[in-house]
Amino acid sequence: MKRLFTVALTAMLILVLAACGGNESEGKSSNGDGSESGEEKVIRAGIGLNDKHPQYKGLLKFKEIVEEKTDGSIKVETFHSGQLGDDRTMIENLQINSQQVVIPSTAPMANFVPEFSVFDIPFLFPSEDVADQVLDGETGQKILDKLEGQDLKGLAYWENGFRDLTNSERAVSSVEDFKGLKIRTMENDLHLDAFKALGANPTPMAFTELFTAMQQGTVDGQENPYATIYLQKFYEVQDHVSNTHHIYSPFVFLMSKTFFDNLSEENQKIVKEAAEEAGEYERKLNREANEKYLKKLQEEGMEFTEITDEAREEMKKKVQPVVDEYKSKIGEDIVDEVYKAVEEASK
Ligand code: KDG
């Protein structure tokens, strides 16, 4: 008898709890991230650079704006130095919504949306100002829109910057000096083919593996903006730096489309505007940083070699056949549109 009473009481308790739970969830819809609307949501945001880089300071600014404007209903957890994986892994994390934000260079993104390679055409952007106008304008937005087919939402362009060559073998002042250098490139076929055209022996590699590869001599050199070269302490394993300025590299502030689509309209506006405002802040920090870091690289013992305008023109000639080949691979229309936008912005 007692056992029967216990079973009946337990059954009643389970029914009461289920009824309460049912009412609670009825008014809420899943946000695709396991949380319920109206509850606190968490954005896991990861980058590959370390916490000294302007990109991480920009991410902290994004966190500050979003948490303030949503009164803490959206929390941003930040991860740096590849804690959540390399760029390609983190982009794939967004596609399954196990991570909600990553801010990679455009180069690895070409593996998801080929049109992003247009921004890796050597010598495309003549200045940061022209890059800002093109990226933040209609053409830049058109390319961001292509991400939606990959379960990705592009919210803003940030700045990696003009890329410069370092190596541990020799001073590089002209095309001849590239011959045979084992150069790490980002995982992007255009970068690979451009360095082959310059006479180098390029290897595509994730950023997370780069320092060790230079330390062990697997590669002789790499190319990145001064801020990255200095803040990631590449001067510890590299002897020479040249101002090749061969590509202006944008970052793209990416969000999981599933997560974004499950936000209220108000919160979608908040995260987009926060990505844009934090991007302006990051661009400013990055430009101030790049100016001062070449001097610091020399103070750390790196030998700087000036690339003259004539030598740069020689580099442009060498890579032109690659640019022509990729115009059809990327899509003639979008390449022509970007070049036209660059011309307009340069006036
Ligand atoms: O995650 C770090 C990368 O996004 C960035 O540094 C890209 O310039 C880059 C490189 O060389 O991989």
Side-chain angles (χ1 to χ4, degrees), residues 27-195:
K28 298 178 177 175
S29 61
S30 162
N31 292 303
D33 62 353
S35 67
E36 297 293 341
S37 59
E39 283 179 352
E40 182 185 289
K41 298 179 186 68
V42 177
I43 291 175
R44 286 160 51 82
I47 62 171
L49 292 164
N50 65 28
D51 57 350
K52 307 289 185 301
H53 196 281
Q55 188 187 49
Y56 188 69
K57 294 177 170 45
L59 185 54
L60 292 179
K61 173 66 78 176
F62 171 79
K63 170 185 170 72
E64 177 194 317
I65 297 168
V66 168
E67 290 182 351
E68 186 192 327
K69 290 198 171 176
T70 63
D71 296 326
S73 67
I74 299 181
K75 285 274 188 289
V76 180
E77 291 176 355
T78 59
F79 301 86
H80 57 81
S81 306
Q83 293 167 310
L84 299 183
D86 61 38
D87 286 342
R88 287 182 67 158
T89 302
M90 291 195 276
I91 295 169
E92 287 161 0
N93 290 345
L94 263 58
Q95 291 179 311
I96 58 171
N97 196 26
S98 62
Q99 177 181 339
Q100 286 70 42
V101 163
V102 64
I103 319 171
S105 274
T106 51
M109 292 179 58
N111 298 293
F112 298 84
V113 175
E115 288 85 349
F116 273 95
S117 263
V118 69
F119 297 130
D120 290 285
I121 289 176
F123 307 107
L124 173 73
F125 290 123
S127 68
E128 289 104 343
D129 177 57
V130 168
D132 291 355
Q133 290 182 61
V134 174
L135 293 168
D136 297 347
E138 192 183 313
T139 303
Q141 183 59 51
K142 186 182 282 187
I143 295 174
L144 287 182
D145 291 345
K146 293 179 182 296
L147 287 162
E148 309 228 347
Q150 292 292 324
D151 293 319
L152 300 167
K153 184 78 180 173
L155 295 182
Y157 289 98
W158 288 19
E159 176 173 276
N160 193 352
F162 280 102
R163 306 180 75 88
D164 295 301
L165 181 77
T166 68
N167 82 91
S168 54
E169 287 299 308
R170 65 180 88 102
V172 173
S173 62
S174 68
V175 168
E176 287 67 42
D177 298 327
F178 279 85
K179 190 164 178 45
L181 280 180
K182 295 182 291 182
I183 302 295
R184 172 269 179 179
T185 70
M186 290 189 280
E187 294 164 298
N188 176 294
D189 291 342
L190 203 168
H191 278 243
L192 209 55
D193 290 341
F195 275 90

